[in-house]
C-alpha cells in the first residue's frame, strides 16, 4: 500500500518539504514505516526518536497500524516541547 | 457561548502581518470589561546571538484544528470568555508579531489567565516550527524552547 | 532603563478615544519578545443594572504624577521592561476603553505580571473616579469597586 | 489664612466642582479644615471619614498643619479602595 509522508522542520531538512510516497506491506505500523524511512534516509535515524507522528492529523503511537492512503506527518518538537509528550491522551 | 457575537477571527494562520486590531475587535464587546492582548514579537537576539530573520512553518490543517480546539476549550471553561488566536507563518521581520492572542472577559482575572493558558498550549500543542537565521549566516530550527523564555 | 527608545506615551490622561496602537508602539521594540496590552472596556451592565453612560473624572496633576510613578517603578524593577498607561476621562461610550495598559518585556512572564500590577495599582492609587448612569436615569459614583471585578 | 479646597466625585456633589476658598486661623490642621467644611456643608459630614485628603498632591494625615495658600483636595475612595488606606507610607 502507498503511504504519503509529510515532514516538517528538521525532518523536512532530511527528507524534503514535498510529500514522499512510501510503499509498505498491508498491516504495516508507524514503527515499521519509521524503519523504512530511516533505511531510505539514514540522516533521519538520530531524529526519529524525537518525532511525533500524526496520522490524518491525529498523533498516534508507534504500534498504530496504517491504512492505505493514510497521510502521515513527521512532527519535530515544537517551541514548548514535544507534541507527542504533551498532547492530551 | 459567545453571546451571539460573530467572531470572524477565532483561530487563524496568516502569511502576512497580523491585524491586531481585528483580533481585538473579534473578541471585545459591550459585555466584556477586560480585554488582554498578547503579542509575541520577533526579537533581534536569542541566547546571545544576533537574529537576522525568523521564519515559521506549520502542518497547516493540524495546526488550524488545534488552534480552534484551544479556543473552543477556553471559551467553554469560563462564562462570557472569548478568545482569538492568530499565528503568522513564513518570514516575520524583526519587531513584528508572530502570534497575537486576544481574550475578552467580563472579569479581568479570567482574561489574564486564559491569555497565559492559550499561549502555553499554543507553544506545546500546535505544530508550528520556528527557524532562526543568525548574522553569521547559519540557521537552526528552535526546538523545545519558549517563544519568549521566562 | 528604556534602552534608548523614546516613549512618547508613558503615562497620560486623555479626553478622547485611547489610541491603543500608539500605546503598544510606545513600548514595543526589537528587543522585546512579549507585549501584553490590557484594555479596560466600559460595560453595559453592572451588578445586574443596565449602564447607559460612564464618565471618569480625575484630580489631574496628582493622577498624572501617580501614573508616572507607577510606570517608573515598574520599569525600574525588571530589566528591559517598558510600560505605558493611558486613562480616558469624561464620558466613555459603552464598549470603548477607559484604560489601556501596554507592557513590553524580553520575557512574557514579566510582561503579564507587570500588566496586572499596573492595573491593581492604578485602581488603588490613582485619583480617578467613575460615575455610572443607569437606564432608569439614576447615577452613582462607584467606590471601592473593581474596574472589572473578578 | 486662605485655603483652597478642591473636591471630587461624591465630595464634589456636596461642595461643588469649583474650588472653595476657606478662611482658617494660622496653624489650622486638616482635621480643623474638615470641621469648618462640615459646618459649612452639613452633607459632607457623613462622607468626611471616608475621604483621603491631599495637600499639594500628597496624601496627608488629619494632624497635618496647613500652610497659607495650600491646595487641599478631597479624594473619595477610588475603584480599588480608599487612596488614604492604600497609598504607600
Amino acid at each position: 500500500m502507498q503511504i504519503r509522508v509529510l515532514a516538517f522542520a528538521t525532518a523536512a531538512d532530511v527528507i524534503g518539504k514535498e510529500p514522499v510516497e512510501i510503499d509498505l506491506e498491508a498491516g504495516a505500523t508507524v514503527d515499521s514505516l519509521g524503519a523504512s524511512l530511516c533505511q531510505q534516509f539514514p540522516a533521519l535515524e538520530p531524529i526519529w526518536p524525537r518525532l511525533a507522528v500524526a496520522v490524518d492529523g491525529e498523533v498516534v503511537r508507534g504500534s498504530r497500524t496504517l491504512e492505505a492512503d493514510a497521510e502521515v506527518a513527521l512532527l519535530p518538537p515544537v517551541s514548548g516541547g514535544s507534541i507527542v509528550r504533551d498532547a492530551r491522551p | 457561548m459567545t453571546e451571539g457575537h460573530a467572531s470572524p477571527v477565532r483561530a487563524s494562520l496568516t502569511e502576512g502581518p497580523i491585524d491586531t486590531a481585528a483580533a481585538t475587535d473579534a473578541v471585545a464587546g459591550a459585555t466584556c470589561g477586560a480585554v488582554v492582548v498578547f503579542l509575541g514579537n520577533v526579537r533581534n537576539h536569542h541566547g546571545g546571538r544576533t537574529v537576522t530573520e525568523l521564519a515559521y512553518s506549520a502542518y497547516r490543517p493540524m495546526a488550524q484544528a488545534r488552534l480552534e480546539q484551544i479556543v473552543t476549550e477556553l471559551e467553554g471553561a469560563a462564562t462570557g470568555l472569548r478568545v482569538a488566536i492568530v499565528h503568522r507563518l513564513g518570514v516575520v521581520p524583526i519587531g513584528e508579531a508572530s502570534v497575537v492572542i486576544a481574550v475578552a472577559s467580563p472579569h479581568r482575572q479570567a482574561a489574564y489567565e486564559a491569555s497565559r493558558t492559550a499561549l502555553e498550549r499554543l507553544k506545546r500543542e500546535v505544530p508550528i516550527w520556528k527557524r532562526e537565521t543568525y548574522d553569521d549566516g547559519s540557521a537552526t530550527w528552535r526546538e523545545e524552547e519558549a517563544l519568549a523564555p521566562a
Side-chain angles (χ1 to χ4, degrees), chain A, chain B:
Chain A
M1 63 183 180
Q2 287 289 110
I3 301 292
R4 181 184 156 94
V5 180
L6 300 173
F8 297 91
T10 48
D13 288 347
V14 173
I15 77 170
K17 286 180 173 183
E18 295 305 309
V20 172
E21 299 283 339
I22 301 284
D23 199 41
L24 294 174
E25 287 182 16
T29 62
V30 167
D31 284 336
S32 53
L33 169 66
S36 289
L37 281 169
C38 291
Q39 198 162 29
Q40 193 171 338
F41 303 97
L44 193 63
E45 201 158 353
I47 297 170
W48 182 262
R50 294 191 294 117
L51 299 180
V53 177
V55 176
D56 297 328
E58 293 291 324
V59 174
V60 299
R61 297 170 184 278
S63 57
R64 166 71 162 262
T65 305
L66 296 167
E67 307 284 328
D69 304 321
E71 177 173 288
V72 174
L74 308 184
L75 312 175
V78 290
S79 61
S82 159
I83 283 188
V84 86
R85 190 172 63 240
D86 293 301
R88 276 147 314 113
Chain B
M1 194 188 311
T2 56
E3 301 186 14
H5 293 81
S7 182
V9 191
R10 275 168 50 100
S12 70
L13 299 165
T14 177
E15 260 82 24
I18 299 176
D19 186 342
T20 305
T24 306
D25 291 348
V27 298
T31 58
C32 287
V35 179
V36 173
V37 183
F38 174 86
L39 295 87
N41 285 347
V42 165
R43 292 186 290 174
N44 59 3
H45 60 92
H46 186 113
R49 302 178 73 180
T50 299
V51 175
T52 55
E53 186 182 286
L54 257 104
Y56 291 85
S57 74
Y59 181 24
R60 280 191 83 137
M62 186 174 159
Q64 178 70 40
R66 289 206 161 183
L67 287 178
E68 287 174 10
Q69 185 179 28
I70 292 169
V71 170
T72 299
E73 290 179 7
L74 285 172
E75 288 186 346
T79 306
L81 193 86
R82 295 194 290 171
V83 181
I85 306 176
V86 184
H87 204 298
R88 187 167 175 180
L89 300 177
V91 173
V92 181
I94 302 296
E96 295 191 16
S98 58
V99 60
V100 169
I101 299 170
V103 177
S105 168
H107 307 300
R108 66 183 187 284
Q109 182 107 344
Y112 277 111
E113 281 169 12
S115 177
R116 296 185 73 152
T117 302
L119 180 57
E120 298 308 321
R121 290 190 59 177
L122 168 67
K123 288 162 17 70
R124 279 201 317 270
E125 300 174 21
V126 180
I128 298 176
W129 297 270
K130 174 164 74 169
R131 188 169 187 271
E132 290 184 350
T133 304
Y134 306 100
D135 57 354
D136 62 3
S138 67
T140 185
W141 292 100
R142 301 302 319 184
E143 295 183 352
E144 299 187 65
E145 188 86 38
L147 276 173

